[in-house]
Amino acid sequence: MSRVALVTGGTRGIGAAISVALKNAGYKVAANYAGNDEAAKAFTAETGIPAFKWDVSSYEACAAGIAQVEAELGPVEILVNNAGITRDAMFHKMTPEQWNAVISTNLSGLFNMTHPVWSGMRDRSFGRIVSISSINGQKGQMGQANYSAAKAGDIGFTKALAQEGAAKGITVNVICPGYIGTEMVRAVPEKVLNERIIPQIPVGRLGEPEEIARCVVFLASDDAGFITGSTITANGGQYMI
């Protein structure tokens, strides 16, 4: 029987590419989304991957949503924490609402999604947790104190939880993408992309969502069973650690 993979923010951008790649690799995939019903409906119609709507910033919504996925598809064995938002502002202008919204989704969302599936993974002695952080969680970014803090927290969460899961057959890893050619990034003015962003990337181009998806597929596989607590840096050489 195919293993069940759940991808948050899984109907658009990097998340959509991850959902499709996991389906193509033989997994039964559920894609979570928060608000864009039209995009989710189109995604399901195109891919055949069912979409489930809830807000990852709510623990109760996550627990209920996961229960629905497991009732329809089976126990979640691969969880991809991809959902994320931005509320950018220079720190002296950042509001508590902007701070809390990003922390609640991009950091607390990892707890809210992982905690309800953790006991089942422990009982079955198998699990794969893959979280999507960011280059800006590694190096920081002006105007993104909230986002950078949350994404750095994702890395710390991964390293701690990996130590707890290792003896139970659960691996926990994180991927830090650089600038990826999603709809959001490609909406940046061409002059800014060509003169300020791409020149910082040694490979000379944006990444593609499918390149991040291939990292996820590997980490979800049995072949990656000896890799846990690791950070995969996929940024075209823009930031090396």
Side-chain angles (χ1 to χ4, degrees), residues 4 10 41 44 46 62 74 76 91 102 106 110 113 145 152-153 193 196:
V4 175
K41 184 177 180 180
T44 297
E46 180 180 349
C62 290
V76 172
F91 189 68
V102 171
N106 297 10
L110 270 65
M113 286 298 304
L193 273 177
R196 296 179 56 188

Side-chain angles (χ1 to χ4, degrees), residues 78-91:
I78 293 92
L79 171 64
V80 183
N81 290 310
N82 169 73
I85 62 172
T86 57
R87 298 289 185 270
D88 295 352
M90 296 298 287
F91 189 68

Side-chain angles (χ1 to χ4, degrees), residues 173-187:
N173 294 289
V174 63
I175 300 168
C176 290
Y179 283 91
I180 306 300
T182 60
E183 180 180 346
M184 179 178 68
V185 171
R186 294 195 185 279

